[in-house]
Amino acid sequence: MCGIIGIIGENSVSDDLIKSLERLEYRGYDSAGIATVYNGRMDRRRANGKLKNLISLIHNSPLKGSTGIGHTRWATHGRPTERNAHPHMNEDVSVVHNGIIENFRELRSELEKAGCIFYTETDTETIAHMISYYIRHGAGIVDAVGRALKRLKGTFALGIIFSTDEDIMIAARRGSPLAIGHGNTAMYIGSDAIALAPFTSAVTYLEEGDWAVISSKNAIIRDSNDEVVQRSVTALEVCNFQMGKGNHRHYMHKEIHEQPEVISRTLSNYIDKAELKLHPFDIGVDLSTIDRIIISGCGTSFYSSLVGRYWIERYACIPVEVDFSSELRYREPPLSPNSLALFISQSGETADTLAALRYFKAKHQTVASVVNVHTSTIARESNVVIPTLAGSEVGVASTKAFTCQLSAIACFCLMLAKSQKNVTKFNEREIISGLVDAPNLIAAMLSDERPFNNLAYELAKASNVLYLGRGINCPVALEGALKLKEVSYIHAEGYPAGELKHGPIALVDEKIPVIVLAPKDKLFNKTVSNMQEIASRGGRIVFVSDANSDEAGCELLAHLPIPKAHPCVMPLLCAVSVQLIAYHTAVIMGTDIDQPRNLAKSVTVE
Ligand code: G6P
């Protein structure tokens, strides 16, 4: 989603602003721009589409100045045009903004009555005019921003510069993350640490409601009551910011291939691999008293929540419900004092997930989260954090974060089972041994992608694809369909295999590929029966299984073998299959794999 960078220093900032915007591209955007102040005058360059358009604009018409802000915009209010691109500017101020100003219509009409002329359809332009209005009515720069912030409803991360004072940049945060970077001769603001990583490893994360007046030497931070506060400076984990694609054509491919390593790293956080047992754990909450769990997330994280339900109900014997974060709080579910709300998020910044988390916190529920970005808002606002160690995920379509979520949730499930004294009901050592084997099995799957590449030529001809799975692999079928849609733009739907006959079978004809996740578990024979139903109607089956192809009992479009493994590890192996299916199909379709159209990596608006 939108990205912010701001720099205030001694040297020209234009190139560094662009360098940082390049690192923010992964978040997803449809236009970009920068503004600088130089000799009492502000100027900006903005361009629709990819960053290369902005770069060529700046190449032809450079911007001077040692204070500047930059933005990648994912349109919310107003079409993705150059006119609506940030920074928004008038003679006094220039503003970049992430988030949504909910009361912008009333503020805009108030300002229009006062004589302000608006040029865009955006909510952000209102902020620029509001600050300017106060400056023109006698307020100093800092006071004007303070007053304007109090008028805004909704969410924002803001970077603001001023034509009358090159030595000030103001940052503000409510609902959308923003960090300050401390350099030797310059100070920075960034919507995420990745934007700041080329310049500094010393970062201060603004708290909710904070705003900061920044010079090239320091930052004075105020809280939402305008009191000056001290916020700590933390060191960026440098290893998280090795952003290159290496030998891979796309980040998505690189991240699929990183899975053996990052799953192993995540498991090591919870499991003693030599002894095949959990590390001693004290996560600050008495897990033995938990009698109900509500799990929630968005997109891919929603599907890992669904897999988690199967594990936790089965091994920890605790009832679990799962809902989309965007829906959960509107249901107003009845809560019990001993329930645990568990939120799953790669970024830890997804607005829907954060809003659901805050709803449960306000109801005095214990809140835990499985997050990949350990400094994120969701991590900071949770009572318990169950980290994944996937490293930075750049491809918009989540891959390694998903399998690391599954790994962490599986370990958390074992902690729950142990605390509830349910470990006698299953063989804990056997499950741990299965999990420990997973990285090697995945590495073996990744050693030969030819079957996926061959299949991709067939899938690329299809307009619709069905994904089926049963039991714990059903959510992975849903994730498979999501992955194909996201990166190849081919319509796909995932269903429980047994549900096919209740409607979706009407879609089956000789044109539709049906990808069936069918590990040879106790549900295998039932899934095979469903495949017969498809085959007898001409459907073309892709059999993802550790069984032999002749066990499918019908003609196959393809057999994508997965290694034999403990049933509880199968979701991880099936996940890798569906990722490779989606990736190779997208390569043939020639789509923008790492930044698919209309999608954002971290969705910070509801
Ligand atoms: C966006 C991304 C998805 C991701 C979802 C949840 O929609 O495009 O890939 O699964 O957000 O993100 P989170 O960071 O909360 O896991």
Side-chain angles (χ1 to χ4, degrees), residues 295-299 301-302 305 323-329 342-360 367-371 378 381-382 603-606:
I295 318 183
S296 187
C298 299
S301 298
F302 173 70
S305 310
D323 205 348
F324 298 104
S325 298
S326 55
E327 288 296 321
L328 183 55
R329 67 195 196 283
L342 177 63
F343 295 92
I344 318 288
S345 176
Q346 185 283 126
S347 62
E349 300 295 350
T350 301
D352 288 320
T353 311
L354 184 58
L357 179 152
R358 287 179 175 158
Y359 174 89
F360 278 76
V367 165
S369 61
V370 174
V371 279
I378 287 179
E381 295 195 12
S382 300
V603 180
T604 49
V605 293
E606 282 181 51

Side-chain angles (χ1 to χ4, degrees), residues 1-2 26-29 74 396 596-603:
M1 199 146 253
C2 305
Y26 81 100
R27 293 166 69 101
Y29 70 106
W74 188 83
V396 165
R597 68 184 180 206
N598 302 337
L599 298 184
K601 182 74 188 152
S602 169
V603 180

Side-chain angles (χ1 to χ4, degrees), residues 123-200:
D123 50 343
T124 308
E125 194 183 1
T126 315
I127 305 171
H129 287 314
M130 180 69 67
I131 297 168
S132 196
Y133 174 87
Y134 288 125
I135 291 174
R136 286 174 183 235
H137 284 77
I141 286 172
V142 176
D143 186 32
V145 173
R147 288 168 71 179
L149 293 179
K150 297 220 164 22
R151 302 288 315 276
L152 304 178
K153 293 198 176 121
T155 58
F156 52 78
L158 295 171
I160 311 163
I161 57 173
F162 307 86
S163 55
T164 52
D165 195 340
E166 288 178 34
D167 298 327
I168 284 187
M169 174 167 68
I170 293 186
R173 169 204 167 141
R174 192 194 297 161
S176 298
L178 198 60
I180 296 174
H182 305 258
N184 291 333
T185 55
M187 295 285 285
Y188 306 86
I189 58 170
S191 49
D192 69 31
I194 288 176
L196 302 177
F199 313 118
T200 176

Side-chain angles (χ1 to χ4, degrees), residues 278-581:
L278 283 174
H279 288 310
F281 59 92
D282 174 9
I283 59 172
V285 166
D286 182 2
L287 297 178
S288 69
T289 59
I290 290 168
D291 58 13
R292 177 186 175 212
I293 298 183
I294 300 166
I295 318 183
S296 187
C298 299
T300 293
S301 298
F302 173 70
Y303 296 130
S304 58
S305 310
L306 286 175
V307 175
R309 176 170 70 186
Y310 283 89
W311 278 328
I312 294 172
E313 291 197 328
R314 171 159 210 176
Y315 297 121
C317 302
I318 302 172
V320 176
E321 62 180 284
V322 177
D323 205 348
F324 298 104
S325 298
S326 55
E327 288 296 321
L328 183 55
R329 67 195 196 283
Y330 301 118
R331 274 170 45 205
E332 301 179 15
L335 305 170
S336 72
N338 293 330
S339 51
L340 174 81
L342 177 63
F343 295 92
I344 318 288
S345 176
Q346 185 283 126
S347 62
E349 300 295 350
T350 301
D352 288 320
T353 311
L354 184 58
L357 179 152
R358 287 179 175 158
Y359 174 89
F360 278 76
K361 267 196 110 175
K363 302 267 179 198
H364 309 293
Q365 297 281 296
T366 305
V367 165
S369 61
V370 174
V371 279
N372 195 39
V373 181
H374 311 153
T375 48
S376 63
T377 313
I378 287 179
R380 283 185 281 136
E381 295 195 12
S382 300
N383 304 110
V384 178
V385 177
I386 301 142
T388 56
L389 290 103
S392 296
E393 191 178 63
V394 175
V396 165
S398 187
T399 53
K400 62 174 180 168
F402 178 63
T403 46
C404 284
Q405 285 170 351
L406 296 185
S407 307
I409 296 169
C411 295
F412 181 57
C413 166
L414 292 173
M415 290 182 210
L416 283 165
K418 217 170 175 109
S419 312
Q420 304 248 332
K421 313 246 179 318
N422 284 330
V423 270
T424 47
K425 295 189 185 150
F426 61 91
N427 190 330
E428 182 197 2
R429 215 179 143 80
E430 210 176 280
I431 293 180
I432 292 182
S433 159
L435 289 169
V436 169
D437 284 345
N440 284 339
L441 300 177
I442 291 173
M445 290 176 73
L446 293 171
S447 66
D448 183 7
E449 295 179 49
R450 281 170 304 177
F452 298 95
N453 186 43
N454 294 341
L455 172 66
Y457 284 96
E458 291 299 320
L459 297 187
K461 292 182 215 150
S463 315
N464 297 292
V465 178
L466 283 177
Y467 283 74
L468 304 179
R470 257 183 196 271
I472 196 163
N473 296 297
C474 173
V476 186
L478 309 187
E479 166 65 4
L482 177 72
K483 216 80 302 164
L484 190 74
K485 278 187 275 212
E486 283 179 317
V487 296
S488 75
Y489 312 150
I490 294 172
H491 175 247
E493 294 299 335
Y495 284 98
E499 195 58 23
L500 185 79
K501 56 190 174 293
H502 299 296
I505 201 163
L507 297 172
V508 171
D509 62 16
E510 56 291 340
K511 289 203 236 36
I512 194 162
V514 184
I515 295 167
V516 187
L517 307 184
K520 211 167 167 204
D521 55 17
K522 60 182 185 186
L523 302 175
F524 179 71
N525 289 337
K526 290 187 192 300
T527 308
V528 166
S529 303
N530 299 133
M531 293 198 304
Q532 315 306 315
E533 293 155 13
I534 301 162
S536 57
R537 286 162 181 85
R540 299 186 309 149
I541 293 164
V542 178
F543 184 50
V544 181
S545 181
D546 51 333
N548 295 328
S549 44
D550 55 8
E551 293 177 82
C554 59
E555 201 182 317
L556 298 175
L557 172 60
H559 175 208
L560 300 176
I562 46 176
K564 299 235 172 274
H566 190 283
C568 94
V569 177
M570 280 300 174
L572 284 103
L573 306 187
C574 289
V576 174
S577 286
V578 298
Q579 292 164 359
L580 288 171
I581 293 171

